[in-house]
């Protein structure tokens, strides 16, 4: 199971993520992420979902994320920003090597994924010539929103 944007298609990505990839807004977005830690920790998993699509994330998990936000001089937002600033080269390399991919792939995407639009999943599935399964009502974290549905999809990939 992967949680990534396979291709460099900023138009399919959440605006803040686009800004972390390149350009003059990178530092501003990173600073904003750092200054909004509590809001991010509270809403990351349900952002963009209608109220009826919201789900609970275990308090222990949230507490662990909160405790781990800062490691020395680096925060989670700093690490995420650094990851995204180098992400384009990884996406470009992955796409250039796509024809060499021999591993069976099942593409599953949340219908309401705010962070990486399902159109990227559609292109990914088309390029691999595999079926795309769009999970109705699911956001970016179907494994948290509806764990049994996610488990069923992963198991189905092995049948």
């Amino acid at each position: 199971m992967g949680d990534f944007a396979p291709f460099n298609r900023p138009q399919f990505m959440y605006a803040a993520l686009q800004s972390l990839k390149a350009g003059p807004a990178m530092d501003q977005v990173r600073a904003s992420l750092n200054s909004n830690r509590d809001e991010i920790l509270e809403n990351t998993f349900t952002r963009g979902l209608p109220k009826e699509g919201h789900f609970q994330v275990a308090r222990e998990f949230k507490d662990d994320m909160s405790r781990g936000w800062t490691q020395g001089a680096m925060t989670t937002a700093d690490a995420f920003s650094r990851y995204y600033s180098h992400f384009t080269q990884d996406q470009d390399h992955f796409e250039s090597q796509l024809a060499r991919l021999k591993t069976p792939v099942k593409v599953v995407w949340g219908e309401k994924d705010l962070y990486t639009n399902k159109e990227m999943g559609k292109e990914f599935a088309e390029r691999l010539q595999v079926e795309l399964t769009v999970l109705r009502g699911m956001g970016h974290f179907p494994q948290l929103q509806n764990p049994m549905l996610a488990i069923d999809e992963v198991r189905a990939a092995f049948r």
Side-chain angles (χ1 to χ4, degrees):
M1 180 171 188
D3 173 10
F4 73 114
F7 304 132
N8 181 22
R9 307 290 188 274
Q11 69 272 23
F12 296 145
M13 298 173 71
Y14 189 56
L17 298 179
Q18 291 176 30
S19 296
L20 283 175
K21 286 176 66 83
M26 287 173 59
D27 288 336
Q28 288 175 316
V29 171
R30 184 180 56 75
S32 175
L33 291 173
N34 274 315
S35 66
N36 290 300
R37 180 193 89 137
D38 292 342
E39 189 280 331
I40 290 167
L41 292 174
E42 187 59 36
N43 298 308
T44 287
F45 298 108
T46 57
R47 189 180 317 284
L49 292 174
K51 193 70 170 165
E52 62 273 6
H54 284 203
F55 55 95
Q56 293 297 312
V57 175
R59 174 56 38 209
E60 296 83 7
F61 182 60
K62 284 184 176 183
D63 289 347
D64 187 54
M65 288 176 54
S66 181
R67 282 190 305 274
W69 184 269
T70 301
Q71 297 295 314
M74 183 174 281
T75 68
T76 297
D78 297 333
F80 195 66
S81 177
R82 181 161 174 78
Y83 166 74
Y84 257 84
S85 71
H86 296 350
F87 195 40
T88 300
Q89 69 188 18
D90 296 337
Q91 291 171 312
D92 291 344
H93 178 74
F94 179 75
E95 185 170 8
S96 76
Q97 301 299 307
L98 200 58
R100 297 179 57 206
L101 184 63
K102 302 294 183 222
T103 305
V105 173
K106 178 174 179 131
V107 180
V108 179
W109 223 270
E111 173 191 37
K112 306 231 181 256
D113 189 334
L114 176 73
Y115 299 113
T116 313
N117 188 286
K118 68 181 177 285
E119 292 303 312
M120 190 175 305
K122 180 180 176 185
E123 181 183 349
F124 189 37
E126 287 172 355
R127 296 276 305 274
L128 293 175
Q129 299 178 355
V130 299
E131 180 182 348
L132 168 66
T133 301
V134 176
L135 302 178
R136 290 179 44 111
M138 297 292 110
H140 188 73
F141 301 99
Q143 72 277 15
L144 298 174
Q145 189 176 358
N146 187 334
M148 287 313 301
L149 179 61
I151 289 167
D152 289 346
E153 289 298 330
V154 170
R155 286 182 176 155
F158 293 98
R159 291 189 191 116

